[in-house]
Amino acid sequence: MERRLLLASFLTLIVIYGYQLMFVKAPQPGTTSAPAKAQTSVAPDASQAPAPATTAGTGSGQAQATISEASERQVVVETASIQAVLSNRGAEILHWRLKDYKDINGRPVDLVPSGVPPTEPRPFSLAFDDSGLTTRGRDALYRISGDSGGRLDATTATRTLVFEYEDASGFHVRKEFGFEPNTYIVQFSANVRMGASELNPTVALGPSLGDLTPQPANAGFFRRATQTPPEALVHANGKVARTALGRLGSENVQEGAFRFAGVDDLYFMAAVTGQARTRAVYRPVTVPVDADTQRQFVAASFRFD
């Protein structure tokens, strides 16, 4: 039987269900709620103090950062199941390492691929209709609260990290990540506004999943791929529908009230799940390794109504 793990996210009011709820027992409507916030808090250290005023590039000029941090830094999150590394640059996930699963080199499997083009978004980056806002949000240095000295221990209880950025133009982003001790789930919410207007961003997972073994660039009868390539999937109308990487074209858009949507391969799955109408956009990403081999990923992004 295939073994699948879940890296899931949600925007505000979208409820997360674990793997066992997705595939073993259907959730009962109206009986779930967003998990409670952690009951303990950590006093912010000096690195969490508001940074001196800086400027952030936009499509039309410069805006002074009013909520930010002075320099780029990372936070390492430990649960019983995963080690996650997040950066305050863009408030994105850099690594999602599975403690109980090893790669061919004996290291924990990392579901965030390395070596992808820098133009590709990282997990939980945000995109807007205004490309200038997209760039500004991804380049910004967010103020982090909830960690202690760049670490967060969520091995025994759910813990939360908050990333916040604001500049003088009124652009404000608040991202919240909740980590559970014994699951592969991250609970995510984003609140974004420009002045008094709320914005509804697209949430990117980026290329998924992990560092795939390089495959022949020109596969044929004598040069066959040895690894199942990732594919796009959605759960709609009581069943899972998958789209093979080779059938995505340059872009594949699917819309609906999906139970979950994401990317999977033979062993792992990264998905968003909830009860809102979702616009899922998939596209293939090919990363050449050398003249004869390449790695192929499915990049996914989601927008919720």
Side-chain angles (χ1 to χ4, degrees):
M1 176 181 292
E2 294 182 0
R3 186 188 304 272
R4 299 181 187 277
L5 302 175
L6 172 65
L7 165 61
S9 68
F10 77 105
L11 288 181
T12 306
L13 303 182
I14 301 176
V15 179
I16 288 222
Y17 302 98
Y19 170 90
Q20 66 276 13
L21 293 179
M22 284 186 178
F23 293 100
V24 179
K25 183 179 180 181
Q28 299 298 315
T31 62
T32 56
S33 60
K37 305 298 183 186
Q39 295 301 306
T40 60
S41 60
V42 179
D45 58 27
S47 65
Q48 296 167 359
T54 58
T55 57
T58 71
S60 57
Q62 302 288 320
Q64 280 193 333
T66 56
I67 299 177
S68 182
E69 288 193 356
S71 60
E72 187 169 348
R73 70 184 183 100
Q74 298 177 4
V75 176
V76 178
V77 179
E78 298 281 355
T79 78
S81 305
I82 62 100
Q83 181 192 75
V85 181
L86 296 87
S87 173
N88 69 339
R89 174 77 69 184
E92 301 164 354
I93 291 182
L94 304 181
H95 300 284
W96 188 268
R97 300 182 178 115
L98 307 178
K99 292 184 175 180
D100 296 329
Y101 296 85
K102 308 298 181 182
D103 61 20
I104 59 175
N105 296 313
R107 297 187 294 263
V109 169
D110 191 346
L111 293 187
V112 179
S114 64
V116 298
T119 53
E120 292 293 336
R122 290 187 177 275
F124 300 103
S125 64
L126 304 179
F128 302 88
D129 295 335
D130 182 338
S131 61
L133 287 184
T134 299
T135 300
R136 206 188 319 180
R138 292 179 180 176
D139 289 346
L141 294 177
Y142 288 68
R143 184 178 68 190
I144 308 175
S145 58
D147 70 316
S148 178
R151 303 195 71 85
L152 182 69
D153 185 350
T155 56
T156 59
T158 298
R159 295 287 184 260
T160 301
L161 278 178
V162 175
F163 293 75
E164 191 169 11
Y165 173 81
E166 186 173 77
D167 62 34
S169 73
F171 180 55
H172 180 271
V173 183
R174 185 182 188 276
K175 297 183 183 182
E176 183 172 315
F177 298 83
F179 298 90
E180 300 180 2
N182 298 305
T183 74
Y184 299 98
I185 296 172
V186 56
Q187 306 159 29
F188 173 75
S189 64
N191 181 276
V192 187
R193 65 178 188 268
M194 174 58 78
S197 300
E198 291 191 2
L199 304 180
N200 184 20
T202 295
V203 181
L205 285 187
S208 299
L209 294 150
D211 281 328
L212 303 176
T213 302
Q215 301 296 306
N218 298 293
F221 183 82
F222 294 105
R223 301 183 76 243
R224 297 190 178 188
T226 59
Q227 182 168 311
T228 302
E231 54 193 358
L233 81 161
V234 297
H235 186 289
N237 301 318
K239 62 181 180 180
V240 175
R242 290 183 169 85
T243 304
L245 186 147
R247 297 175 61 88
L248 290 177
S250 59
E251 184 177 273
N252 179 278
V253 179
Q254 301 190 48
E255 297 183 87
F258 305 129
R259 191 175 176 197
F260 60 87
V263 178
D264 76 346
D265 60 15
L266 181 61
Y267 297 105
F268 304 105
M269 178 173 74
V272 297
T273 180
Q275 297 175 333
R277 184 171 179 83
T278 304
R279 184 178 191 268
V281 179
Y282 301 101
R283 56 184 176 81
V285 175
T286 299
V287 179
V289 176
D290 53 38
D292 297 319
T293 58
Q294 62 187 13
R295 294 184 295 152
Q296 290 185 297
F297 302 98
V298 175
S301 60
F302 308 92
R303 187 164 183 163
F304 304 92
D305 292 337

